[in-house]
């Protein structure tokens, strides 16, 4: 039996912590002020959907699919994106809290994340090539064997990236951000 299709629907102020979102395909849908905190989104497919001011903290994303999905003003603490279906995985994130999330081995190439908190986020072995991080705070984020080639960190803050343990060829950093590349060496830079 094929999964139900929800198309061009608007879901406003739904609490999916009480009633699980129905499994199915959600295409061009908008979710506003919905609570998905600690809920199960497993095996749900979202295609070109928008999440606006939603709480997705600690949601179970096992085998869920996010293809060209926008998150705006959302709280997304502790999400394990590595458990998502990787086929067509593509996000746009604006003004969100992604603290303590994990993108372990996730391909985020060409993703744009703006004005968001990415504190204590796991990016080990992720592909962040050609990503844009405008106004993002990376305090405590882990970059280990991460592909950062051509990524744009010029407007990002508080990152600590070890140049010898990550691919950074062509990555862009501001002059103010250079200490984030040198802290591992114990170098003190004074202005």
């Amino acid at each position: 039996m094929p999964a139900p299709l929800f198309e061009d629907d608007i879901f406003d102020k739904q609490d999916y912590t009480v009633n699980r979102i129905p499994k199915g395909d959600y295409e061009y849908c908008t979710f506003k002020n919905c609570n998905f905190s600690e809920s199960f989104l497993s095996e749900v497919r979202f295609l070109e959907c928008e999440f606006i001011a939603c709480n997705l903290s600690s949601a179970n994303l096992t085998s869920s699919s996010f293809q060209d999905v926008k998150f705006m003003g959302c709280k997304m603490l502790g999400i394990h994106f590595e458990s998502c279906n990787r086929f067509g995985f593509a996000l746009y994130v604006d003004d969100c809290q992604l603290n303590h999330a994990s993108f372990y081995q996730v391909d985020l190439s060409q993703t744009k994340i703006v004005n968001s908190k990415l504190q204590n986020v796991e990016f080990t072995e992720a592909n962040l090539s050609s990503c844009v991080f405008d106004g993002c705070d990376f305090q405590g984020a882990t970059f280990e064997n991460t592909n950062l080639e051509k990524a744009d960190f010029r407007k990002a803050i508080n990152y600590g990236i070890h140049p010898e343990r990550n691919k950074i060829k062509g990555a862009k950093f501001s002059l103010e951000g250079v200490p984030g590349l040198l802290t591992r060496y114990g170098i003190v830079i004074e202005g």
Side-chain angles (χ1 to χ4, degrees):
M1 182 173 175
L5 173 65
F6 302 88
E7 193 171 15
D8 291 311
D9 290 328
I10 297 174
F11 301 88
D12 191 17
K13 298 179 183 170
Q14 298 296 311
D15 187 352
Y16 295 110
T17 63
V18 176
N19 296 312
R20 181 179 173 166
I21 188 171
K23 287 185 184 181
D25 293 340
Y26 294 80
E27 297 182 4
Y28 314 104
C29 292
T30 301
F31 297 87
K32 293 181 181 179
N33 302 299
C34 294
N35 188 0
F36 295 93
S37 180
E38 298 184 22
S39 64
F40 289 89
L41 299 174
S42 54
E43 300 177 25
V44 177
R45 181 175 164 261
F46 299 99
L47 172 67
E48 293 191 38
C49 292
E50 292 184 348
F51 291 82
I52 302 167
C54 294
N55 182 357
L56 293 103
S57 297
S58 300
N60 183 331
L61 305 182
T62 303
S63 300
S64 59
S65 180
F66 293 92
Q67 299 172 339
D68 293 317
V69 174
K70 294 180 180 179
F71 294 96
M72 294 166 286
C74 293
K75 186 175 179 182
M76 306 164 68
L77 307 177
I79 295 180
H80 288 267
F81 287 97
E82 69 269 12
S83 59
C84 291
N85 182 334
R86 307 277 176 101
F87 181 76
F89 185 82
L91 308 174
Y92 169 80
V93 179
D94 185 3
D95 193 31
C96 293
Q97 293 182 42
L98 285 108
N99 300 344
H100 304 284
S102 177
F103 291 96
Y104 175 72
Q105 294 185 334
V106 174
D107 184 353
L108 289 168
S109 58
Q110 300 181 11
T111 297
K112 187 169 185 176
I113 301 178
V114 297
N115 302 321
S116 296
K117 290 189 178 191
L118 297 143
Q119 297 172 348
N120 300 300
V121 172
E122 177 68 58
F123 290 109
T124 299
E125 297 180 20
N127 181 1
L128 305 180
S129 62
S130 300
C131 285
V132 175
F133 301 108
D134 284 349
C136 293
D137 183 351
F138 287 97
Q139 183 70 45
T142 303
F143 298 93
E144 189 73 32
N145 296 320
T146 306
N147 183 349
L148 302 168
E149 293 177 339
K150 298 181 182 176
D152 189 344
F153 285 88
R154 289 178 292 181
K155 295 180 182 175
I157 60 171
N158 295 326
Y159 50 81
I161 298 171
H162 194 301
E164 294 169 1
R165 293 187 183 164
N166 297 283
K167 296 179 183 177
I168 62 169
K169 184 176 182 179
K172 298 173 186 171
F173 300 93
S174 68
L175 188 56
E176 294 83 19
V178 170
L181 298 172
L182 302 174
T183 55
R184 305 270 188 214
Y185 301 109
I187 297 172
V188 177
I189 299 175
E190 295 179 1

